[in-house]
Amino acid sequence: MTAWLDRRSTPLLVGLFAALLAVAAGLVSGADAAERAGLAARWTARAALPLFLIVFLASTLMRRWPAGITRALRKRRRQWGLGFALAHTIHLAALAVNVIVFAPGRTWQSLIGGGLTYVMIFVMAFTSTDGWQRQLGRWWRRLHTVGIYYIWFIFTASYAGRAFGDEPEKRVVGLLFGTILIAALIGRLWPR
Ligand code: HEM
């Protein structure tokens, strides 16, 4: 297990596989084209969440439980970030179909929070190299710290919206994943 986690390619393959599986599950489960596209968008976001949590918590986990697995996750954190970016790009493709084909009435205000998050995700993925880290100096750390908390905020806000919504099934999902995200934040910020 540790050797597998230690491979550079593992995070990208996990991100790709999880997101494509989510799309496939959406395509076979929906009753009509609109529902299939909606499920693909919903489940690709859900598939990307565990990858985000690995990036968000890799240092915390290694500090608290130093072991082969946590060390491998911390060592490959950059690749897990790229795996998350890949999975979330597949969410972008699924939701583009959703927004353009099935729900064209969305206002630009409703797209701005998620749209800005994509700009942040792509800037972070693009600057995830030693060269950019050297070039940006202390701004690299600032960019990646602000970015990771911003992505956390958008995930949490999306699930909080569902937790307080009208549909019982979405309320359960919102409560479950919202609680996991808040627990992750507490775990990360808890004093050493
Ligand atoms: C302009 C950009 C975005 C648009 C238009 C958008 C649109 C959508 C759509 C149509 C769904 C499916 C809704 C449903 O059937 O319940 C969805 C689900 C979701 N999206 Fe996005 N999205 C965007 C960006 C993002 C970003 C950047 C994040 C997180 C960082 C995110 C997190 C989520 C979450 C958590 C869900 C719910 C998944 C679940 O039910 O488990 N979205 N989004």
Side-chain angles (χ1 to χ4, degrees), residues 42 45-46 88 91 95 106 111 114-115 117-118 159 162 170:
R42 190 184 299 172
R46 219 172 281 181
H88 225 57
H91 178 62
L95 66 87
R106 278 179 188 248
L111 299 177
T117 319
Y118 273 109
Y159 281 122
R162 282 166 173 71
K170 281 193 181 178

Side-chain angles (χ1 to χ4, degrees), residues 61-74:
L61 291 174
M62 198 193 77
R63 234 183 11 247
R64 291 191 198 284
W65 297 284
I69 289 183
T70 52
R71 240 175 244 123
L73 290 177
R74 174 65 188 82

